[in-house]
Amino acid sequence: MATATAHSHSLVFAPRIQELLARDEKVFRIDPAKVGVSDSRLMAEIVAARPVLSTERSVYKPAAGSDIPHDSATRTIRALGRDAMAGIRKPPPPARGMAGSWPYAGTSYLRRWLFSDDPLPVSLLSKRGVTRSDTLSRLVDRAVTAWPGPAGQDGGTALAGLIRGADEPLERKQAIAMYRRATATLCDGVAALTGNALWLMGPERDRPECRAELTDILWETLRLLPPAWMLYRNGGAAYTELHPEIRPEDDVALFPLLMHRHPDYWSDPLDFRPERWDGVADPEKTPGFMPFGFDGARCWAKHLIVPLAEQLLTAALDNRLVVHSPRQDAQVPLRSLLAVRFEARVRA
């Protein structure tokens, strides 16, 4: 168990995460072929040592057997940004959609908020019940591949328009993959951040003053419980001269989660203190803080994450969303995104 708030409730991390949190050293061997790093300077050097490989990216890894072209990736980023900003200006869906198991309820709610205008079968690409099944995913992909919507047709998101406007079969298949990955990565990340903030806020979430502190609350949540808690780099000669522990055959795992909680970089590192961000003009320039990666390897959606989380958190507070269970010790399982698991309900 690792206390992460002064509000009388705690987080119970999965054993492997807890083992990492218990380490004192900043460079350590995880297994015979993997080295972990939480030293701020060394992490920056590792990220700067070479460009990120396409296989190391969550969204832009190869699809349909081919690399994603740079211009296609750029179009996807721009389309997603337009869709997110347009969607969040719409009234939020009914509050009952936020009740249930978080962060999954938050993900589904945000998808309805941002992408509900897309027609079938495109809208099925981001449904959790579909994405969790390889068979259903393949069926939906085939249906969208044959989707007859003509280019230039009105309605739907800009991301759906990229599918409709694809001229070649490979381009269309990659546009489908990018739609699924982009919407899932964005909504999953925002829901994880929002759920983590709701838990860390505890009963304090009912204070009226919280509304003026939401941005600081989210930055402090990104420090204590960063959804992107680990960055993975394939091994190679680029890293061997940076530290004697790293061999050419070693993969490297970078741990913002550990760096964000280290007393060398933070005062009272385990305390949830949103006020530490008050007046900080650019939180990403804070030493020992890496919520979205370093220059050259930053999250492609970083400019969307905090604004969308602030809107989702506002909707949760407006509708008096409460943590129903567990009330004291919440689980943090070992997943690609670090997210507190809890049940929530909307007050009558």
Side-chain angles (χ1 to χ4, degrees):
M1 184 179 298
T3 300
T5 174
H7 297 144
S8 75
H9 56 278
S10 303
L11 302 171
V12 182
F13 291 92
R16 289 187 65 184
I17 300 177
Q18 188 58 55
E19 290 174 6
L20 292 171
L21 290 170
R23 287 183 174 273
D24 292 326
E25 63 271 37
K26 295 180 183 177
V27 182
F28 51 89
R29 184 156 295 280
I30 299 173
D31 60 40
K34 192 182 292 93
V35 173
V37 178
S38 62
D39 177 81
S40 177
R41 179 195 58 79
L42 181 57
M43 289 171 75
E45 291 178 348
I46 288 172
V47 172
R50 65 163 173 79
V52 179
L53 303 177
S54 61
T55 53
E56 295 170 335
R57 296 184 181 273
S58 60
V59 175
Y60 302 127
K61 61 187 177 183
S66 298
D67 288 339
I68 301 293
H70 182 268
D71 59 344
S72 176
T74 301
R75 286 195 301 271
T76 299
I77 293 172
R78 292 173 177 170
L80 184 67
R82 293 196 299 272
D83 292 339
M85 293 300 100
I88 211 68
R89 288 194 291 268
K90 298 185 300 184
R96 63 179 179 274
M98 285 187 285
S101 299
W102 275 71
Y104 306 121
T107 295
S108 298
Y109 186 85
L110 194 60
R111 283 173 173 168
R112 285 197 296 274
W113 199 346
L114 301 182
F115 304 106
S116 60
D117 290 342
D118 283 337
L120 289 171
V122 176
S123 61
L124 296 177
L125 289 171
S126 63
K127 297 293 185 183
R128 183 167 177 261
V130 172
T131 58
R132 294 180 68 188
S133 167
D134 290 341
T135 300
L136 287 177
S137 292
R138 286 194 294 269
L139 290 174
V140 170
D141 283 0
R142 291 172 187 168
V144 178
T145 300
W147 179 42
Q153 179 178 314
D154 293 333
T157 63
L159 276 178
L162 295 180
I163 300 174
R164 185 189 295 120
D167 296 325
E168 302 294 334
L170 175 60
E171 183 185 357
R172 194 173 183 88
K173 289 179 180 179
Q174 291 193 329
I176 291 169
M178 295 288 275
Y179 180 103
R180 174 178 282 123
R181 293 175 188 174
T183 56
T185 300
L186 179 66
C187 294
D188 288 350
V190 171
L193 174 57
T194 304
N196 292 350
L198 283 167
W199 178 262
L200 289 173
M201 291 168 72
E204 296 293 307
R205 71 176 72 91
D206 292 330
R207 290 190 304 112
E209 308 90 271
C210 278
R211 301 308 182 96
E213 303 167 358
L214 290 187
T215 303
D216 290 347
I217 286 169
L218 289 169
W219 284 114
E220 180 70 345
T221 300
L222 282 166
R223 184 187 70 83
L224 269 176
L225 290 173
W229 65 287
M230 181 189 73
L231 300 175
Y232 194 76
R233 294 292 179 266
N234 295 329
Y239 306 138
T240 55
E241 295 184 1
L242 300 179
H243 194 277
E245 183 68 31
I246 304 175
R247 305 169 306 190
E249 64 270 24
D250 288 330
D251 294 330
V252 180
L254 311 179
F255 290 103
L257 175 67
L258 306 188
M259 182 174 66
H260 291 181
R261 290 164 167 259
H262 202 285
D264 281 1
Y265 308 120
W266 306 92
S267 60
D268 302 318
L270 297 186
D271 289 350
F272 180 62
R273 291 174 45 199
E275 64 272 14
R276 75 172 82 229
W277 300 102
D278 186 29
V280 178
D282 189 350
E284 289 188 80
K285 292 183 178 179
T286 302
F289 188 50
M290 194 178 67
F292 301 116
F294 282 109
D295 287 338
R298 291 194 186 276
C299 172
W300 52 272
K302 78 180 192 70
H303 63 292
L304 301 173
I305 296 294
V306 173
L308 288 176
E310 191 167 339
Q311 292 295 322
L312 183 56
L313 189 54
T314 297
L317 297 177
D318 285 346
N319 291 284
R320 305 178 71 195
L321 190 76
V322 297
V323 175
H324 180 58
S325 66
R327 295 190 180 276
Q328 293 295 324
D329 303 328
Q331 301 291 322
V332 182
L334 184 65
R335 296 286 189 275
S336 58
L337 284 178
L338 195 74
V340 181
R341 265 45 173 181
F342 60 85
E343 297 290 326
R345 58 180 175 82
V346 178
R347 285 181 188 161

